[in-house]
Amino acid sequence: EVGQVFVANGWEKPAGFCQSAWDTLSPFVLALSHGGEGFYDGWMKNPRSAMLSCNDGFRPVSFLVEALMIQLIHLCVNFFSETKNIPD
């Protein structure tokens, strides 16, 4: 559905998401969730995003995949809490 939003946690497919589409998107989602960026050499305004299409030729769907800053903050909180070096 146009405008529908899904949030993924790394490699885990969001509930209700098409498996065929996920097979196409998941490598990019995983890369973005680990800090990957710049997939298109500056073509995207947001370097932590990717514009992808499902490989279902009968029902083509395009997806804008973006990394959420909340994830980065969560990773930092986990890192600092595990090392007991929480900066001021």
Side-chain angles (χ1 to χ4, degrees):
E1 186 175 318
V2 174
Q4 196 169 9
V5 175
F6 292 90
V7 178
N9 183 10
W11 193 257
E12 189 177 329
K13 179 179 75 128
F17 201 84
C18 171
Q19 184 62 50
S20 179
W22 184 248
D23 291 343
T24 302
L25 273 59
S26 60
F28 290 88
V29 171
L30 182 63
L32 287 167
S33 73
H34 286 89
E37 62 181 39
F39 297 109
Y40 304 111
D41 290 328
W43 282 61
M44 300 290 288
K45 288 182 181 179
N46 176 359
R48 301 221 45 225
S49 67
M51 188 66 166
L52 305 163
S53 297
C54 180
N55 42 344
D56 182 344
F58 294 106
R59 295 171 295 252
V61 178
S62 294
F63 300 91
L64 175 61
V65 179
E66 299 177 294
L68 298 175
M69 290 308 294
I70 272 180
Q71 180 182 23
L72 295 177
I73 293 167
H74 176 71
L75 291 174
C76 289
V77 168
N78 282 343
F79 173 76
F80 289 120
S81 64
E82 287 176 10
T83 60
K84 308 286 191 246
N85 293 326
I86 302 174
D88 294 331

